[in-house]
Amino acid sequence: MTNEQLKELEDKLWDSANALRAYGGLKASDYAVPVLGLIFLKFAENKYSQYESDILDEYQKSKGSRMEQPIQKIALAKCGFYLPDNARFNYLLNLPGEDSMAKALREAMEGIEKHQDAKFQDVLPKEAYFDIEKKKKDILPQLLKAFSDIPQDASGDVFGKIYEYFLGKFAMSEGQKGGEFFTPTSVVRFIVEVIEPYKGKIYDPACGSGGMFVQSAHFLQHENHDLSDIYVCGQEYMGETVRLAKMNLMVNNLRGEIIETNSYEEDPHESFGKFDYVMANPPFNVKSVKESTVKEDKRFYNYGLPKNQGRKEDKISDANYLWISLFATSLNKTGRAGFVMPNSASDARNSEYEIRKKIVDSGIVDCMVSMPSNMFFTVTLPATLWFFDKQKVNTDRKDKILFLDARNVFHQIDRAHREWTEEHQQNLAAIVRLYRGETDRFLELIHKYIVNADEAIQEVGPAKANLESALEKLSKGLKAYAEETKNEKRTPAKKQALEESDFYHKLAQWERSKPEIIDQKSLQQSLVETSQENAAQHEAAEYLKALTEQYKNELGALKKDVNTLTELWKLADKHAKLKTDKAWTTNDLSRADKVLEAELEAYIEAVEQTTYWYNNIHWLHKRFPEAKYQDVIGLCKMADRSEYAEEQDYSLNAGRYVGVNVDEDELTDREFKQRLSEQSKQFLELSQSAQLLEQSIAKSLRSIMNEVGD
């Protein structure tokens, strides 16, 4: 399944589920878990069908012998679960109309859990289906029918992506509450790219729905590592969210254990010094934790407790540094951690300052990344990513910290939400890798972008040819039509309109534009064969630069041609076309404007793809031309001890180090228009709110004046 097909399927499934709000009067919080349960059910059927013949063969071979095993036991060994007949989608889809679908779904979920390990008992949703059925009886059958569209051959990876997509959509619908169980995927992916969890135990003591673990699995799959190389350990306070996380592990075929607990109070995984990797997005600024709960716990007191000086009350001043201490103390001797913190933690004073100083002096702080605002559903202000690396003390980076200010690197999803694209993640991670001295990986990334650009170039020629063909066809069709019907009778108004618009003259004079030709440097080899050497990659980038400039000129000329010809077609359609006009059809003029528009869009997309890959190459080349780390004003700074300890007094705020580049603005035309459009919408909304507020104040004042007058 291609990414385009997957996106289309995800959108279709979400539209079906989201229609429940309008049709069934349900909130996202009412149907999120049961809908995710149905996704799991379809995943279970697809996966089981891949193993079923082997399961049945082994069962038949052992049947009647001393080695006979129950089919359920064989299924668990081969597939990971047993799927009873009443949990099959076809069985549920063909359920008689008078039967309760909610009851059937509960029995299906119970049938799957019956033979599972204890840690996966009571995970799947059951009773929630009755609440939906009470609203409207036909909702559940409609949902099942919608999810049956997921192809039979869809793999676990596809289901993982669909599941993740739905988690994100539900979180966005829920707003503040949604952030309790979901960290935006692009943030998690970047954390994974930096800490690189190849092998070992991964810990998240505030795991929500398990997104950190899932992205670790995707990272391993992308790097061709086995999922069995990692074991995940999670803790989560909310029982409903724990069940979401356990389903997430099952969907993504991850080994591990998630425990419902309060991480301040209990340590079920015995985390101190145990884990290879720690990832988390903990709750921010919690002030309700009692000092007595944590003061005897070495997970928290190792670097000191964050408490109000001079106050006798049994309360921690702020739990942010409890979490930071927990992450640091949970790492083994070679461990890495990546986690989210509010910006305020980077400069916090008093007892938090003392804790931060000890952590920094220990040498484990590797990298600090300032994020754009509006990246989270629960936090509108910018947050910061912290990265620890226990191995750093044994490298030449021992007394250095990388500060990366990524506040201006983002893609605007809508007015209220932003994200990092995959290339944003890769480009930022490339800076971290250069800082670590991994030049070869930087060159590998540039090579990948060059290959992608080469693939995009292959699409430009055919798209351009199709557009030129459509232009030629419409031009010939219009001219032929004008000639064939020039003596036909038309109303005086139409004749006048054609004369005033100079239609016939413009049509006769129309010819293709001739764009300026840019002098392009030729390459001795194809782009895809460009070696992974810096000089060769720069040469390829120069070629791409010239090529994209040429594409820009050609696109401008073709847009002009399309606009001119479309206007002529519209004039003909409105004023020249006759009521009973076979010539209009025989010259292929029906909906010819739509055909031309579609071909233009396809060509624009092909050109923009090529430009997109060149822009990513240029972004990296401009900042790191030698394929070696260097400080970049406004983006990154590798600070040594004299800077972060003495000059900045242990501040971990990237903005204090990188400076500001006032001249930099490398937005593409589309990004600029999108950003301008979003800001314009925001301005209009604020203006309307201001007007309503003015009216309300004026009305209140009039009311008060009338009362005083009375």
Side-chain angles (χ1 to χ4, degrees):
M1 180 177 288
T2 65
N3 288 334
E4 290 75 18
Q5 290 171 328
L6 176 61
K7 181 68 170 64
E8 185 178 338
L9 177 61
E10 287 172 340
D11 290 342
K12 179 181 177 183
L13 295 177
W14 172 252
D15 288 342
S16 299
N18 201 37
L20 294 176
R21 278 201 288 192
Y23 180 64
L26 298 169
K27 303 190 298 293
S29 57
D30 296 328
Y31 65 85
V33 174
V35 164
L36 291 169
L38 295 182
I39 294 176
F40 172 81
L41 204 58
K42 187 66 172 76
F43 157 76
E45 179 164 295
N46 277 30
K47 185 177 180 182
Y48 197 79
S49 66
Q50 297 171 13
Y51 294 91
E52 191 164 18
S53 60
D54 290 343
I55 293 169
L56 290 172
D57 285 348
E58 187 167 328
Y59 174 68
Q60 291 298 331
K61 286 176 184 176
S62 67
K63 192 174 182 181
S65 70
R66 288 185 303 167
M67 304 295 291
E68 181 176 346
Q69 297 183 75
I71 193 170
Q72 294 88 348
K73 186 175 181 180
I74 298 170
L76 282 171
K78 287 188 173 292
C79 180
F81 57 87
Y82 172 67
L83 190 70
D85 290 340
N86 69 336
R88 312 291 176 106
F89 246 62
N90 279 340
Y91 169 83
L92 294 166
L93 285 170
N94 294 313
L95 201 70
E98 62 272 14
D99 289 7
S100 168
M101 180 63 77
K103 182 172 179 289
L105 286 169
R106 179 177 65 186
E107 292 171 352
M109 300 299 184
E110 288 172 344
I112 294 174
E113 285 185 346
K114 183 178 180 181
H115 305 282
Q116 277 290 337
D117 295 339
K119 63 185 178 183
F120 285 120
Q121 293 290 337
D122 196 28
V123 169
L124 302 176
K126 303 175 189 73
E127 303 306 320
Y129 296 112
F130 288 93
D131 295 332
I132 292 176
E133 193 169 72
K134 285 176 185 176
K135 292 278 185 178
K136 282 186 182 291
K137 191 173 182 181
D138 60 345
I139 289 178
L140 291 174
Q142 287 181 27
L143 270 178
L144 277 165
K145 190 172 186 307
F147 287 118
S148 68
D149 288 340
I150 298 175
Q152 284 289 334
D153 60 351
S155 65
D157 183 49
V158 168
F159 273 93
K161 289 176 179 176
I162 292 173
Y163 191 88
E164 179 183 66
Y165 174 86
F166 267 69
L167 280 172
K169 284 289 192 179
F170 284 132
M172 193 176 290
S173 299
E174 286 292 277
Q176 181 76 16
K177 189 182 178 202
E180 294 174 2
F181 65 81
F182 185 78
T183 304
T185 302
S186 68
V187 176
V188 184
R189 282 179 180 166
F190 176 67
I191 292 174
V192 171
E193 285 291 333
V194 173
I195 69 171
E196 300 180 310
Y198 285 109
K199 188 175 183 178
K201 290 187 174 181
I202 304 174
Y203 182 46
D204 184 348
C207 71
S209 57
M212 301 282 181
F213 301 141
V214 171
Q215 290 309 318
S216 298
H218 291 172
F219 175 79
L220 285 176
Q221 290 165 337
H222 183 266
E223 298 293 323
N224 296 316
H225 283 251
D226 199 304
L227 284 182
S228 62
D229 288 345
I230 62 171
Y231 188 89
V232 304
C233 298
Q235 293 167 203
E236 173 56 41
Y237 181 66
M238 304 295 293
E240 188 88 314
T241 309
V242 171
R243 287 186 279 279
L244 285 177
K246 288 185 176 183
M247 276 198 286
N248 214 353
L249 294 197
M250 293 171 75
V251 165
N252 287 279
N253 202 25
L254 272 167
R255 298 184 312 127
E257 187 172 11
I258 295 174
I259 297 171
E260 182 180 344
T261 188
N262 185 328
S263 291
Y264 302 122
E265 299 174 357
E266 298 178 326
D267 184 22
H269 294 294
E270 299 178 348
S271 63
F272 193 88
K274 179 177 181 178
F275 290 98
D276 300 283
Y277 305 98
V278 175
M279 294 184 287
N281 176 22
F284 292 174
N285 305 322
V286 175
K287 301 185 187 301
S288 58
V289 181
K290 293 183 178 180
E291 182 184 347
S292 57
T293 303
V294 296
K295 69 179 181 179
E296 302 297 330
D297 193 330
K298 60 183 178 180
R299 297 178 300 157
F300 299 114
Y301 69 64
N302 199 59
Y303 295 99
L305 291 176
K307 54 185 181 179
N308 292 313
Q309 299 297 325
R311 294 190 181 181
K312 295 182 179 181
E313 59 184 22
D314 180 20
K315 190 179 290 186
I316 292 295
S317 58
D318 193 309
N320 290 338
Y321 272 80
L322 287 180
W323 288 108
I324 293 171
S325 293
L326 173 59
F327 303 145
T329 58
S330 297
L331 293 174
N332 59 25
K333 292 180 180 180
T334 59
R336 284 179 172 176
F339 53 92
V340 189
M341 274 288 128
N343 272 6
S344 58
S346 302
D347 286 310
R349 306 306 296 173
N350 302 317
S351 57
E352 285 92 342
Y353 166 82
E354 297 299 332
I355 297 170
R356 184 170 67 254
K357 182 178 178 182
K358 289 179 183 177
I359 291 175
V360 170
D361 285 342
S362 73
I364 68 172
V365 180
D366 190 30
C367 181
M368 300 292 297
V369 182
S370 295
M371 298 174 61
S373 59
N374 293 354
M375 292 281 279
F376 295 88
F377 303 125
T378 55
V379 181
T380 56
L381 296 175
T384 300
L385 297 178
W386 295 47
F387 293 96
F388 293 162
D389 186 350
K390 281 288 195 79
Q391 296 183 81
K392 197 189 81 163
V393 294
N394 301 316
T395 71
D396 57 3
R397 308 190 324 274
K398 177 182 178 182
D399 293 318
K400 293 181 171 60
I401 298 174
L402 175 65
F403 291 92
L404 188 51
D405 191 343
R407 286 177 295 178
N408 294 319
V409 179
F410 60 85
H411 166 69
Q412 194 81 34
I413 303 173
D414 54 40
R415 188 180 65 80
H417 301 99
R418 295 168 173 173
E419 68 175 359
W420 281 327
T421 65
E422 183 177 347
E423 285 65 50
H424 287 147
Q425 299 158 34
Q426 292 294 327
N427 295 345
L428 293 172
I431 300 173
V432 179
R433 288 167 186 155
L434 283 179
Y435 153 73
R436 292 174 179 164
E438 299 172 358
T439 296
D440 56 334
R441 299 187 68 184
F442 178 86
L443 296 173
E444 285 172 10
L445 180 62
I446 297 289
H447 180 70
K448 174 189 169 186
Y449 289 166
I450 290 173
V451 171
N452 290 340
D454 189 67
E455 291 174 354
I457 288 167
Q458 306 311 313
E459 302 294 325
V460 174
K464 181 184 175 186
N466 289 341
L467 177 56
E468 289 176 329
S469 176
L471 278 166
E472 188 65 24
K473 186 177 181 180
L474 180 52
S475 171
K476 285 183 177 179
L478 277 174
K479 287 178 179 179
Y481 178 80
E483 182 63 28
E484 290 172 27
T485 64
K486 64 180 180 181
N487 295 321
E488 294 289 340
K489 290 183 178 179
R490 293 181 173 85
T491 64
K494 286 190 173 185
K495 283 183 179 180
Q496 184 179 352
L498 290 170
E499 289 174 5
E500 289 177 353
S501 63
D502 205 14
F503 170 75
Y504 291 105
H505 178 71
K506 287 179 180 177
L507 184 60
Q509 294 296 313
W510 185 86
E511 60 180 28
R512 290 278 312 281
S513 302
K514 296 178 181 178
E516 177 189 355
I517 303 298
I518 304 292
D519 180 31
Q520 299 178 26
K521 295 180 180 179
S522 61
L523 285 179
Q524 298 301 313
Q525 56 189 10
S526 71
L527 279 174
V528 76
E529 293 172 348
T530 301
S531 68
Q532 292 188 34
E533 294 180 359
N534 194 41
Q537 291 183 348
H538 275 280
E539 184 182 351
E542 283 299 310
Y543 169 75
L544 280 171
K545 179 181 180 181
L547 195 62
T548 54
E549 282 296 317
Q550 182 62 44
Y551 285 167
K552 184 178 180 180
N553 288 338
E554 291 174 351
L555 178 57
L558 283 164
K559 277 184 176 179
K560 181 180 176 183
D561 293 342
V562 168
N563 290 337
T564 303
L565 211 51
T566 300
E567 286 303 314
L568 289 171
W569 180 89
K570 288 179 179 178
L571 284 169
D573 182 59
K574 186 174 182 180
H575 301 299
K577 188 171 70 171
L578 304 168
K579 285 186 178 180
T580 55
D581 200 343
K582 291 182 180 179
W584 187 261
T585 304
T586 57
N587 284 293
D588 294 319
L589 294 176
S590 296
R591 297 183 60 80
D593 61 327
K594 300 300 181 186
V595 173
L596 201 57
E597 182 182 320
E599 296 295 355
L600 177 61
E601 281 300 313
Y603 177 55
I604 290 173
E605 175 64 25
V607 168
E608 286 185 344
Q609 275 298 301
T610 306
T611 305
Y612 178 78
W613 295 117
Y614 165 71
N615 286 341
N616 278 286
I617 296 168
H618 175 66
W619 194 89
L620 291 168
H621 272 170
K622 180 180 178 182
R623 291 158 179 79
F624 309 101
E626 302 299 320
K628 296 178 182 178
Y629 177 81
Q630 63 182 33
D631 294 338
V632 179
I633 295 175
L635 179 63
C636 57
K637 167 73 176 178
M638 183 167 63
D640 59 27
R641 182 170 181 80
S642 66
E643 293 171 293
Y644 63 71
E646 298 170 17
E647 293 178 18
Q648 297 295 341
D649 194 20
Y650 292 93
S651 168
L652 294 180
N653 185 334
R656 286 177 173 243
Y657 297 87
V658 304
V660 178
N661 188 345
V662 295
D663 297 324
E664 184 144 321
D665 181 7
E666 294 188 341
L667 297 177
T668 64
D669 289 346
R670 175 167 286 193
E671 288 172 335
F672 174 76
K673 289 177 182 176
Q674 183 181 23
R675 198 168 291 186
L676 186 62
S677 174
E678 293 295 338
Q679 291 174 348
S680 176
K681 288 179 185 176
Q682 191 173 10
F683 173 73
L684 289 173
E685 289 174 4
L686 290 171
S687 297
Q688 290 169 358
S689 298
Q691 289 176 1
L692 291 173
L693 185 60
E694 286 178 6
Q695 292 170 5
S696 176
I697 292 171
K699 184 177 179 181
S700 298
L701 286 172
R702 285 196 298 271
S703 177
I704 293 170
M705 294 298 291
N706 289 336
E707 289 178 8
V708 172
D710 292 341

